[in-house]
Amino acid sequence: MIETDVLIVGGSLVGLSAATFLAWHGVSTLSVERHHGTAIHPRAGHFHLRTLEVLRSVGLEARVKAASEEQFDPDGGINAVESLAGKEIATYIANLNEGVAAISPSTRLFMTQQSLEPLIRDRAQELGAAMLYATELVSFEQDADGVTGFIRNVISGETDTVRAKYMIAADGNRSPIRERLGICTRGPGHLAECITIYFHADCGAALRGRNLGVIYVFNPDLRGFFRLVRTGDSGFLAVMTRGDMSRPDALDVAQGIDEERCIAFVRSATGMPDGKVEVGDIASWRAVAEVAERFTGGRVFLVGDAAHVMPPMGGFGGNTGVQDTHNLAWKLALVLKGIAGPELLSTYNAERQPIGELAMQQAYTRYVLRVVPERGKEGMQPLVDDLSMEIGYRYRSPAIVAETGSGTSLYEDPRRSKAMPGTRAPHVVLQRAGKPISTLDLFTRNFCVLAAAEGGAWCAAARAAAADLGLVIDAHQLDHGDLSDPDGCFADAYSLSPSGAVMVRPDGFVAWRATGAAPASKATMTALLSSLLCCNAA
């Protein structure tokens, strides 16, 4: 029998992220993936700010950014055209990173999943994660102490047993694990039968020197989107409708598809009717908008497409899945180490299920507005801006101490959230040993107290309380140690008085804030940390 802390079922983008974040926190994992390796197609593509921030937190951002720039020009836009060579219809995002430097140390980027997954896999293995490819989960059982998984090598047929304390289901939108747990889904449901065409064609002339990242196409032949590598000679085209929308098969692009039709689609989308097109592969897929009603079942946690599946508009699918695992990893680590109570794990569902549903609904809204307006707006949520969706989403759970009058919205404008508990801690450039450092770089592994210039008592109280609880905590009083605030921006960005402080969780979300001169004491901080960790005070 193989023993591990966490069994991860699925080794694509989200499963690999789970392995990386858990290994970063010192948790032993075993990932099983039925395919023979990482992605072979350049799926995904538009990676959000928060995704790059969490990859940055485990030392991956620089590698990912370098690989992205080998394939795509940075700062590309998201546009709509009749065809690449033809008329432009709309600009959704003119420059992917315009204004980003003021709110994040990271940048958005385009990258193929085919290139990203090996980088995450390598980092996970550097940190000690174990992986078995060509291996599938046949069945599982769970009891009060853990999960027993029965696995099989798909080549040899050899079987083995894995005993884990917890299991993560990253097994895709048809998740057998979710079905076994009896967890239902809800949402608009099935939308269309689509295809993705991977092709080679010289599109340089049609690009006309424009830096276009994601290009939506609307013309009488098709509706969809495509993305090209920076050289303009290859890419993929996702086709979501074909022909007149009054046709009964307009949303069934995959029916009867062949290479000849694919070449016609590419020529129409590029606006080059006589262009030479070589089709490398054709992948069929279903556009679906659904979310699981709950993300947990006993000791099993749903992440990624197993928890929520959505159309690709806005790029929410993979990004939301990566952030699922980032939320879950530190909680599992602290429970496994005996520092947090097991009830902390219930906050995964409380925090991520509403955000997964919000992301799914926003992807559906963009699908209707950008691709199939004929569906109408009934049941469609109003559009939420991309920045609020990426870094403005907000958590509510026992692992957050909400402030009175803070409202019930699932998101806030991150430029105005001011470190409200439940939101991502704001980016402020500080100095450490004379060199600039983002506040976000302080939140990578441990709870962190950041105190304003006169809030040193909070730091002392937090250190004392954490020592009694066996918790590693970082505590910094600005301008009284290695961290300084030369521009004087911190207190305003975090809405603190000179004697205030903020508690930030290992995932970079604000758990609590002392905005004024409330008395700092070890007893206060012990009660606070015990509450956040869902355990009784020492």
Side-chain angles (χ1 to χ4, degrees):
M1 181 179 290
I2 303 170
E3 294 187 359
T4 188
D5 285 335
V6 181
L7 172 61
I8 302 170
V9 182
S12 294
L13 173 65
V14 175
L16 290 168
S17 298
T20 302
F21 298 140
L22 285 165
W24 175 257
H25 286 286
V27 175
S28 69
T29 65
L30 173 66
S31 299
V32 295
E33 166 56 51
R34 62 185 179 87
H35 292 108
H36 293 206
T38 53
I40 60 172
H41 292 308
R43 295 172 293 171
H46 174 199
F47 289 96
H48 293 173
L49 272 181
R50 188 60 190 153
T51 300
L52 268 296
E53 288 175 357
V54 300
L55 294 179
R56 176 189 183 93
S57 73
V58 294
L60 258 174
E61 183 185 39
R63 301 183 204 181
V64 171
K65 197 169 183 179
S68 168
E69 291 175 358
E70 290 179 1
Q71 300 173 312
F72 303 100
D73 287 319
D75 305 331
I78 300 179
N79 298 56
V81 299
E82 289 183 354
S83 72
L84 187 62
K87 179 183 176 183
E88 291 193 19
I89 301 171
T91 299
Y92 302 123
I93 298 176
N95 181 317
L96 202 63
N97 288 302
E98 184 176 357
V100 161
I103 55 176
S104 177
S106 299
T107 55
R108 301 175 177 121
L109 53 78
F110 295 109
M111 188 171 184
T112 64
Q113 196 164 328
Q114 184 182 34
S115 300
L116 178 59
E117 284 187 6
L119 297 179
I120 301 178
R121 177 202 61 203
D122 292 350
R123 184 59 175 148
Q125 292 176 328
E126 288 171 6
L127 293 167
M131 299 180 184
L132 292 175
Y133 285 97
T135 303
E136 62 183 356
L137 180 75
V138 179
S139 64
F140 70 93
E141 299 170 353
Q142 58 176 319
D143 52 47
D145 299 315
V147 180
T148 302
F150 304 96
I151 61 175
R152 176 174 60 207
N153 184 287
V154 299
I155 301 172
S156 68
E158 293 181 359
T159 61
D160 215 328
T161 303
V162 180
R163 181 63 178 173
K165 295 181 177 68
Y166 297 96
M167 184 167 76
I168 291 176
D171 57 340
N173 65 311
R174 292 187 175 94
S175 176
I177 296 174
R178 186 187 65 227
E179 292 185 7
R180 168 74 184 277
L181 293 171
I183 298 175
C184 298
T185 60
R186 62 184 182 228
H190 176 248
L191 305 175
E193 296 291 333
C194 311
I195 62 168
T196 299
I197 306 163
Y198 301 94
F199 68 89
H200 292 269
D202 185 359
C203 301
L207 274 171
R208 304 194 300 275
R210 295 170 295 174
N211 183 9
L212 302 180
V214 175
I215 308 134
Y216 284 86
V217 178
F218 304 96
N219 65 41
D221 300 321
L222 67 104
R223 299 178 189 179
F225 62 93
F226 64 94
R227 191 175 69 242
L228 302 171
V229 299
R230 68 188 306 165
T231 54
D233 59 3
S234 66
F236 72 74
L237 170 66
V239 185
M240 305 189 73
T241 76
R242 62 175 176 179
D244 187 344
M245 285 299 294
S246 64
R247 291 173 44 172
D249 63 347
L251 295 173
D252 190 0
V253 183
Q255 182 180 3
I257 197 67
D258 57 21
E259 184 172 321
E260 183 179 353
R261 289 189 184 184
C262 288
I263 291 173
F265 279 138
V266 173
R267 286 174 172 167
S268 176
T270 58
M272 301 184 298
D274 300 318
K276 181 181 178 181
V277 177
E278 296 180 6
V279 175
D281 201 0
I282 308 165
S284 300
W285 53 278
R286 306 178 81 221
V288 178
E290 291 178 338
V291 64
E293 292 183 342
R294 53 189 170 91
F295 285 10
T296 58
R299 288 175 169 262
V300 181
F301 303 90
L302 307 182
V303 298
D305 286 353
H308 40 70
V309 59
M310 54 198 81
M313 286 67 236
F316 295 113
N319 287 283
T320 304
V322 171
Q323 291 150 40
D324 290 340
T325 65
H326 192 246
N327 178 282
L328 179 60
W330 69 272
K331 297 174 180 178
L332 279 168
L334 289 179
V335 171
L336 285 164
K337 292 172 184 175
I339 296 170
E343 293 80 7
L344 179 63
L345 298 178
S346 68
T347 68
Y348 170 67
N349 181 73
E351 294 179 356
R352 290 304 301 173
Q353 199 281 339
I355 301 306
E357 185 154 11
L358 173 67
M360 179 273 289
Q361 291 289 358
Q362 284 300 304
Y364 176 70
T365 292
R366 286 158 173 76
Y367 171 77
V368 172
L369 295 178
R370 296 182 183 179
V371 181
V372 190
E374 292 88 348
R375 288 184 69 96
K377 297 182 179 180
E378 184 178 355
M380 185 191 84
Q381 289 187 356
L383 186 71
V384 177
D385 68 278
D386 290 272
L387 190 61
S388 294
M389 287 298 301
E390 290 182 47
I391 59 173
Y393 55 86
R394 183 179 171 194
Y395 294 148
R396 285 179 177 78
S397 80
I400 300 290
V401 179
E403 294 177 351
T404 303
S406 60
T408 60
S409 175
L410 287 174
Y411 59 90
E412 303 287 340
D413 184 333
R415 293 162 295 196
R416 292 189 284 273
S417 57
K418 299 278 188 176
M420 180 187 299
T423 64
R424 160 194 167 274
H427 159 66
V428 177
V429 178
L430 304 176
Q431 279 198 357
R432 172 182 272 171
K435 295 181 180 180
I437 181 173
S438 168
T439 47
L440 271 61
D441 292 330
L442 304 173
F443 319 133
T444 63
R445 218 181 233 121
N446 305 321
F447 275 85
C448 181
V449 173
L450 277 180
E454 299 173 18
W458 289 114
C459 295
R463 292 188 189 101
D468 284 354
L469 295 170
L471 176 70
V472 178
I473 195 166
D474 300 321
H476 306 277
Q477 180 186 7
L478 292 189
D479 300 325
H480 290 75
D482 63 340
L483 277 181
S484 63
D485 180 21
D487 297 325
C489 297
F490 171 74
D492 178 66
Y494 280 69
S495 193
L496 296 175
S497 72
S499 59
V502 64
M503 176 81 73
V504 182
R505 309 188 317 186
D507 60 355
F509 277 72
V510 179
W512 163 89
R513 180 172 58 179
T515 55
S521 69
K522 177 182 174 182
T524 299
M525 293 305 288
T526 299
L528 170 65
L529 287 169
S530 296
S531 175
L532 296 177
L533 296 170
C534 300
C535 60
N536 294 325

